[in-house]
Amino acid sequence: MATSAMILGLATPRSLVIIDELGRGTAPREGVGISHAIAEGLIQSKCFVFFATHFNKLTTTLSRQPSVINLHLSVQRTMKSAANLGITFQYKIVDGAPDDTTHYGLDLAALADLPSDVLSEGRRVATRLAALHAREEEDSESSRIAIRRKALLRLRTQLKQAYEHSALPDEELVAYIRRFQVDIAKAFL
C-alpha cells in the first residue's frame, strides 16, 4: 500500500505504471475496493497503466472509464479423458475480459490428484456460485452500461481499423460495416 501511495503521488501523464496483483493478501471485497480506487486514481492522473489482477469484478467496475481496455492471457485446455487433462498458458494477449465460467483452479487441483469427491464438490460449489453471480449481474444496471460501453469501444476500434487498413472493395466493406450495426443494436436492446 505504501508503494501504491507513492505511485499515486508521483504519477503523471508521462508515467508508465505496472501493477501486478494489487490487494492479493486482503479479503476479496476489500481487495476489489482498494484496487478499484487506486486504478481510478491512476486513470485520473492520465498515466499509462498495465494493471494485472485476479479480481475479475474490476473488468466490470472499471469498464465505465472510456480509457480502460480489458485484455487477458489466453489459456488452452486439453482433455483427452478425465485422467488426461492439460493446461497450457499461451502467453498470448486476447481482447476482452476472461471467461468467468472457466475454473482453472479446479483444473489445476485435478492435475494435483486431489480426490475425485473433493473435486466434484469444488466444481458443484463453483458452478452454483457462478450461477448466482450471473443472475446478480443480469439484474445490474451498471453491468448493462458496461456492456454498452464495451460495444461502443469495440465499434470504434473496428471502424478505425476498417478506415485505416481495409483493402476490401466498396460493396464488401459496406457489408462488413453493416455487421457492426447488428452487433451494436444487440448491445442496446
Side-chain angles (χ1 to χ4, degrees):
M1 291 302 139
T3 303
S4 296
M6 181 190 69
I7 291 169
L8 284 169
L10 296 174
T12 70
R14 295 180 41 88
S15 300
L16 169 63
V17 178
I18 300 172
I19 296 184
D20 185 28
E21 296 295 352
L22 179 66
R24 181 92 177 156
T26 62
R29 286 187 183 146
E30 291 174 1
V32 169
I34 195 69
S35 295
H36 177 95
I38 289 170
E40 279 194 337
L42 292 169
I43 291 166
Q44 288 172 0
S45 74
K46 297 184 177 12
C47 60
F48 192 85
V49 181
F50 285 101
F51 200 100
T53 183
H54 64 288
F55 295 130
N56 288 344
K57 195 68 123 172
L58 290 178
T59 61
T60 303
T61 63
L62 290 173
S63 66
R64 296 180 191 137
Q65 301 286 343
S67 61
V68 171
I69 298 171
N70 288 308
L71 304 168
H72 68 280
L73 291 174
S74 65
V75 176
Q76 181 180 0
R77 297 171 61 198
T78 56
M79 185 182 297
K80 295 174 185 160
S81 67
N84 193 357
L85 168 72
I87 298 176
T88 303
F89 293 92
Q90 297 177 321
Y91 304 103
K92 178 180 175 187
I93 297 174
V94 180
D95 192 28
D99 180 13
D100 282 341
T101 62
T102 305
H103 303 291
Y104 300 115
L106 291 169
D107 292 342
L108 291 171
L111 290 172
D113 291 329
L114 281 176
S116 61
D117 59 331
V118 171
L119 292 171
S120 295
E121 180 64 8
R123 204 167 292 283
R124 185 190 70 76
V125 170
T127 302
R128 182 167 166 93
L129 289 173
L132 287 171
H133 177 72
R135 263 187 267 143
E136 289 172 2
E137 288 294 314
E138 285 176 9
D139 297 338
S140 167
E141 178 64 25
S142 64
S143 176
R144 285 190 287 277
I145 291 169
I147 288 168
R148 291 173 181 162
R149 184 159 288 158
K150 285 179 189 177
L152 288 171
L153 290 171
R154 187 173 52 250
L155 176 63
R156 180 188 70 176
T157 301
Q158 291 169 326
L159 288 172
K160 185 177 178 183
Q161 288 174 348
Y163 176 74
E164 292 176 354
H165 304 291
S166 177
L168 293 172
D170 288 345
E171 305 84 39
E172 291 180 34
L173 181 59
V174 169
Y176 178 66
I177 291 173
R178 279 203 177 112
R179 286 196 300 259
F180 300 161
Q181 184 180 15
V182 171
D183 290 342
I184 200 77
K186 287 179 186 174
F188 281 86
L189 290 178

